Amino acid sequence: MQKGWLEARNNHTYENGHRYYGFKAEFPFPDDNDAQESHEENNALWRQLVGGKLFVAPLPTPLKRNHKVLDFATRSAAWVGEFYDSEHAGARLTAMDPTYMQRTGWRELLHHDLEGEWPFSAKQAFHLIHAQSLGGLLADWEGFYQNAYKHLVPGGWLEVKEHDIRLCSDDGDSGVPDAVRQWQELLEEAAEKFGKRINVAGKQREWMERAGFVEVKEEVFKVPLGEWTEDPKWKRIGGTYSYQLLKSLEVYSMRLFTRTLRWSKEDTDALLARVREQLQQENLHLYSYFHVVTGQKPTSAKRTVH
């Protein structure tokens, strides 16, 4: 049994029926079964959006055995498990996350803080760093991009998949039900107070370019919530998004509302019940934006880890 796994198992607190990593309220979201199931659904949604691919960065397919991949903030480890079952399985994969508790037979699973210096040497530099749905988990996004740049081989790729939880309507605020609008405004306010912004998808390209990446490309998906579109593909995707969000409301909200905004659990439950009811109303045409951003460390760059 790995020492890191034991430390992760024992380093938890419990609030309002959920388990959270750390004793200092480091993360706003739990890492229990509810959170892992929510992240698995999120991962399934991303796979649908990018045509079933594990990544869209322009690396050779399948990856070669000498290719090294880092998945950053694994949580449910759905992406990591799919990678091991994929045509890329011959590549060397490292997963880094302070919270992930399940024991695995994976060779490289590191329990390490997400911020600050990463524990890799120049010989361990990666050809691909993959990060998915980190909104609300990081305080220092520019530090994340600097770390990613530092720990890629020259010519290596960073891929960031990020979405805004904020729901939009083509009718403006009038098209978003009142409890839903109240919930998402309070969620953003609480995340700001917590120190880890939650809706940061629109900033990823700017941060990546500022860190020195080149060939930066961004694809933005307008993802419907529910099955209100005519297109069969987007009807399926919208159904997945609706299921994921309804399953995730408490995961996203409970600590931010009760600890940061100092709401009671009863008041939080009451608001979330209204949000669930409104999100399942017919004739709602809500959507969110999902961003996939890729960038390359210049091939002329020097290895910067010593």
Side-chain angles (χ1 to χ4, degrees):
M1 186 178 296
Q2 296 178 355
K3 178 182 177 183
W5 180 84
L6 280 172
E7 290 174 348
R9 185 193 68 180
N10 293 326
N11 189 21
H12 281 79
T13 54
Y14 295 82
E15 297 175 15
N16 299 311
H18 288 285
R19 184 190 71 204
Y20 295 83
Y21 177 77
F23 294 104
K24 298 180 180 179
E26 181 181 356
F27 296 108
F29 310 137
D31 73 337
D32 53 17
N33 287 338
D34 288 342
Q36 291 185 22
E37 289 173 8
S38 169
H39 190 258
E40 285 174 1
E41 291 299 325
N42 194 313
N43 183 71
L45 177 56
W46 278 113
R47 290 293 300 276
Q48 291 180 59
L49 286 175
V50 297
K53 298 177 182 178
L54 282 167
F55 56 87
V56 298
L59 286 157
T61 301
L63 294 178
K64 299 177 181 178
R65 293 187 63 85
N66 67 334
H67 278 139
K68 294 188 284 295
V69 178
L70 172 65
D71 185 52
F72 184 87
T74 60
R75 283 161 305 166
S76 73
W79 189 90
V80 178
E82 290 169 351
F83 187 96
Y84 268 91
D85 291 335
S86 75
E87 62 184 335
H88 307 294
R92 286 175 283 178
L93 175 65
T94 299
M96 186 173 75
D97 193 334
T99 68
Y100 184 60
M101 283 180 53
Q102 295 183 24
R103 291 183 64 193
T104 73
W106 301 334
R107 185 176 57 186
E108 294 291 341
L109 177 64
L110 301 181
H111 292 284
H112 190 274
D113 290 341
L114 301 183
E115 308 204 54
E117 290 296 320
W118 293 358
F120 306 110
S121 67
K123 291 182 179 179
Q124 294 171 297
F126 299 96
H127 297 81
L128 170 67
I129 295 176
H130 174 264
Q132 183 170 293
S133 300
L134 302 183
L137 296 180
L138 295 179
D140 182 9
W141 275 94
E142 295 196 67
F144 162 76
Y145 276 104
Q146 291 166 5
N147 261 330
Y149 186 94
K150 180 191 300 184
H151 290 282
L152 283 166
V153 299
W157 288 87
L158 171 64
E159 176 167 320
V160 177
K161 300 185 178 91
E162 192 64 37
H163 76 285
D164 281 351
I165 298 172
R166 183 189 305 113
L167 292 164
C168 306
S169 168
D170 288 338
D171 297 323
D173 286 347
S174 63
V176 182
D178 62 332
V180 175
R181 189 165 61 249
Q182 180 187 15
W183 168 73
Q184 58 190 27
E185 289 173 355
L186 288 169
L187 191 73
E188 284 200 79
E189 176 189 337
E192 289 276 2
K193 289 182 177 179
F194 194 91
K196 297 184 177 182
R197 293 169 57 191
I198 197 167
N199 289 324
V200 291
K203 296 286 291 182
Q204 302 303 318
R205 178 169 191 157
E206 175 189 339
W207 286 331
M208 192 177 290
E209 291 175 338
R210 192 183 300 170
F213 287 88
V214 297
E215 302 296 331
V216 177
K217 295 183 180 179
E218 178 178 29
E219 187 170 9
V220 182
F221 300 94
K222 181 179 176 180
V223 178
L225 183 81
E227 300 179 353
W228 52 267
T229 64
E230 297 295 330
D231 187 300
K233 170 190 171 182
W234 290 104
K235 190 179 289 287
R236 288 193 303 273
I237 291 173
T240 300
Y241 184 32
S242 178
Y243 179 81
Q244 187 272 337
L245 183 58
L246 288 168
K247 195 174 188 66
S248 304
L249 285 175
E250 187 169 317
V251 168
Y252 289 140
S253 307
M254 192 55 68
R255 173 172 267 186
L256 287 175
F257 275 69
T258 59
R259 178 182 281 265
T260 306
L261 298 182
R262 300 193 179 282
W263 281 38
S264 68
K265 183 179 186 302
E266 291 73 22
D267 286 344
T268 304
D269 286 338
L271 175 61
L272 295 182
R274 291 180 58 217
V275 172
R276 290 188 188 95
E277 182 180 0
Q278 292 185 354
L279 288 178
Q280 295 177 85
Q281 292 175 356
E282 295 183 1
N283 302 319
L284 278 183
H285 290 178
L286 302 178
Y287 56 87
S288 295
Y289 289 106
F290 285 60
H291 299 237
V292 181
V293 187
T294 58
Q296 186 182 37
K297 182 174 180 175
T299 56
S300 59
K302 296 180 180 179
R303 292 182 183 248
T304 52
V305 183
H306 302 288

